[in-house]
Amino acid sequence: MALVRSGNKQKILEAGSQFNPVFDTEYKPGDTCKYEGIYKCTGCDKEVTIANGKTIPPQNHHQHSVSQGNIRWKLFVYAQ
Ligand SMILES: [Zn+2]
């Protein structure tokens, strides 16, 4: 069962589920995350799958323009 974030709302599309704060945690490059799943970069919407090890990709994973700001990852799909 995968939980999917709906747009910018902290809403999980699973019957009976409630607001889940795991989708609001931002991770910096190289951080260790708590959950396996698909993470999305808040600056450019690039997606990455985090599995074993649960380590967020390093700073050099991809490049941002100045307007995109720092690379920050947020959980997008939570693999349960
Ligand atoms: Zn990015």
Side-chain angles (χ1 to χ4, degrees):
M1 179 57 146
L3 304 179
V4 179
R5 186 186 185 108
S6 174
N8 289 322
K9 295 175 194 160
Q10 289 77 44
K11 189 178 169 192
I12 295 166
L13 304 177
E14 183 192 37
S17 68
Q18 295 181 334
F19 167 78
N20 191 333
V22 302
F23 289 100
D24 275 341
T25 306
E26 280 193 0
Y27 293 97
K28 299 190 296 294
D31 277 356
T32 300
C33 56
K34 204 171 174 182
Y35 300 97
E36 296 179 359
I38 299 173
Y39 285 73
K40 196 174 245 192
C41 177
T42 62
C44 68
D45 286 345
K46 191 176 284 291
E47 294 175 9
V48 68
T49 301
I50 306 292
N52 299 326
K54 299 175 184 171
T55 303
I56 299 293
Q59 185 72 40
N60 62 5
H61 177 263
H62 63 284
Q63 300 295 319
H64 272 188
S65 65
V66 174
S67 63
Q68 287 174 319
N70 293 325
I71 296 174
R72 292 287 182 271
W73 298 96
K74 269 191 174 183
L75 184 60
F76 182 64
V77 176
Y78 173 29
Q80 231 180 3

